Amino acid sequence: PDPTWGQKVTAVFAGALDAAALERWCRENISTPLRPRGFVKLDRLPRNAMGKPDRPALKRLAQHRGVE
């Protein structure tokens, strides 16, 4: 949640990239209103029973882990 915009865009990601490098890439490639403001790195993304990214779990992780 964000007091100004309602919700804050947060990138939840896994892989070799670190948060600073991902933030640089986002600044160069994504327009300001759509750009993530928070970054949460995981060892691996949670998956649902169908093997797809578990969006509710990702949202919970973004809310509880904050900016990293």
Side-chain angles (χ1 to χ4, degrees), residues 16-28:
L17 207 56
D18 66 4
L22 180 57
E23 183 176 11
R24 273 192 307 276
W25 184 92
C26 290
R27 284 184 181 277
E28 295 169 1

Side-chain angles (χ1 to χ4, degrees), residues 1-12:
D2 183 83
T4 303
W5 303 105
Q7 290 188 344
K8 177 173 67 172
V9 177
T10 301
V12 180

Side-chain angles (χ1 to χ4, degrees), residues 10 23 30-31 33 47 58 66-67:
T10 301
E23 183 176 11
I30 300 176
S31 65
R47 303 282 176 171
L58 291 169
V67 178

Side-chain angles (χ1 to χ4, degrees), residues 48-68:
N48 65 20
M50 299 296 292
K52 296 180 180 181
D54 185 341
R55 290 175 183 250
L58 291 169
K59 186 174 182 178
R60 284 191 303 274
L61 287 166
Q63 289 174 339
H64 290 96
R65 302 261 318 255
V67 178
E68 293 185 4

Side-chain angles (χ1 to χ4, degrees), residues 33-47:
L34 302 175
R35 193 171 61 229
R37 299 295 191 248
F39 299 85
V40 176
K41 184 171 183 173
L42 304 175
D43 291 331
R44 62 187 175 107
L45 298 178
R47 303 282 176 171

